[in-house]
């Protein structure tokens, strides 16, 4: 898809989101739900979101070390804040991933290794989100009777199992060499070979992969906890088990939606899953807005760091 068409699609999804809000949301009720959120609670959740960036850095640093890239934790944390700001500012979170790769590649001079570490980190995150969502899906299948959710609840554990299998297959040197052989152009094949050499080195780094998944589980659990307390803050009164479970499922689907088409689609998915679980659509939209506000407040330091870096480059 061309860049022009992709931007058109992003704006079309945003227009769909606004249309859905106009058609289904009572803005008076939405405002009431948002006003319920106590400022101290919001402040605590912003701090928790910042701690989530620290958990991400703790996850990525060992993956970088495993391929010979040694960067202080402080530097990795700062890069994560910058990337989180860019990921929020752009229509897709992949912009933040691109900045992370660029920053660390510039420091280390090992682009293929950095890309491989980012790929494994992303896969670990998807596996963790899918595992937690699977437990949520099982809980919802037991407690909810909504037929519309049943195919979704069956698909989530299947996605978790499929992700683990595909990750294992992707580490196969034989399969990797075959795929590289299919690529057009010698330059493309050389770049792919460098990436695969770094990526498949993780076959012998199982402890690092396990630690990455463990950190991802902690990170995902923290994100669900932030959403849970944000949901309570806007007045969502669903039973605790059901609310935690539906948030776990929606977070997993939101991650996939962000990769595919950015924050607009992710918001539609989140609100849609919450509504299917019986949560009032006004409160679901209020939660989505509050969660977005919390994320923006937490990543604003990343924007300041980017401005400082830009000024330093201009001075040089």
């Amino acid at each position: 898809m061309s860049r022009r068409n992709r931007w058109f699609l992003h704006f079309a999804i945003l227009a769909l989101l606004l249309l859905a809000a106009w058609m289904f949301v009572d803005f008076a009720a939405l405002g009431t739900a948002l006003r319920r959120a106590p400022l101290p609670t919001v402040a605590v959740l912003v701090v928790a979101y910042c701690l989530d960036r620290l958990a991400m850095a703790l996850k990525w640093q060992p993956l970088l070390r495993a391929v010979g890239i040694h960067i202080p934790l402080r530097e990795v944390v700062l890069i994560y804040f910058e990337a989180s700001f860019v990921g929020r500012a752009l229509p897709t979170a992949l912009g933040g991933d691109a900045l992370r790769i660029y920053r660390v590649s510039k420091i280390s001079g090992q682009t293929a290794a950095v890309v491989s570490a980012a790929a494994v980190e992303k896969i670990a995150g998807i596996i963790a989100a899918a595992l937690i969502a699977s437990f949520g899906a099982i809980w919802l299948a037991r407690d909810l009777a909504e037929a519309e959710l049943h195919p979704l609840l069956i698909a989530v554990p299947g996605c978790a199992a499929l992700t683990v299998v595909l990750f294992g297959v992707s580490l196969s040197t034989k399969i990797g060499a075959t795929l590289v052989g299919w690529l057009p152009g010698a330059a493309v094949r050389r770049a792919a070979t460098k990436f695969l050499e770094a990526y498949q080195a993780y076959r012998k780094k199982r402890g690092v992969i396990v630690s990455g998944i463990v950190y991802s589980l902690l990170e995902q659990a923290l994100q669900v906890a932030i959403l849970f307390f944000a949901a309570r803050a806007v007045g969502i009164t669903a039973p605790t088990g059901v609310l935690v479970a539906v948030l776990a499922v929606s977070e997993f689907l939101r991650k996939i939606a962000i990769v595919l088409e950015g924050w607009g689609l992710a918001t539609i998915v989140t609100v849609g899953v919450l509504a299917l679980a019986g949560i009032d659509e006004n409160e679901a939209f209020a939660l989505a807005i509050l969660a977005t506000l919390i994320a923006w407040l937490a990543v604003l330091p990343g924007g300041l760091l980017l401005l400082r870096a830009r000024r330093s480059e201009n001075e040089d």
Side-chain angles (χ1 to χ4, degrees), residues 48-135:
Y49 197 94
C50 291
L51 292 176
D52 183 62
R53 305 303 97 178
L54 174 60
M56 289 181 171
L58 288 168
K59 172 180 64 175
W60 201 33
Q61 189 189 36
L63 292 170
L64 290 169
R65 280 202 303 260
V67 287
I69 299 172
H70 300 274
I71 299 177
L73 178 62
R74 177 180 177 276
E75 190 71 25
V76 179
V77 172
L78 294 180
I79 289 171
Y80 249 108
F81 270 97
E82 292 177 355
S84 297
F85 178 82
V86 170
R88 280 279 160 187
L90 294 179
T92 172
L94 293 179
D97 294 327
L99 178 66
R100 278 196 298 135
I101 291 169
Y102 168 75
R103 281 272 193 261
V104 178
S105 297
K106 191 175 179 181
I107 295 169
S108 65
Q110 302 180 57
T111 302
V114 176
V115 174
S116 70
V120 173
E121 182 237 14
K122 210 71 175 176
I123 293 167
I126 292 173
I127 290 172
L131 288 174
I132 291 179
S134 296
F135 286 108

Side-chain angles (χ1 to χ4, degrees), residues 231-302:
R232 290 301 195 220
V234 298
I236 294 177
T237 58
T240 297
V242 170
L243 182 55
V244 170
V246 75
L247 289 173
V249 173
S250 69
E251 267 296 279
F252 169 62
L253 296 174
R254 187 185 68 86
K255 286 181 183 296
I256 296 174
I258 287 173
V259 172
L260 293 176
E261 285 302 336
W263 299 106
L265 181 60
T267 302
I268 291 173
V269 168
T270 299
V271 174
V273 172
L274 292 173
L276 282 175
I279 293 171
D280 178 75
E281 59 268 19
N282 300 307
E283 293 176 343
F285 263 101
L287 173 58
I289 292 170
L290 180 59
T292 300
L293 175 63
I294 289 167
W296 265 113
L297 291 173
V299 303
L300 276 178

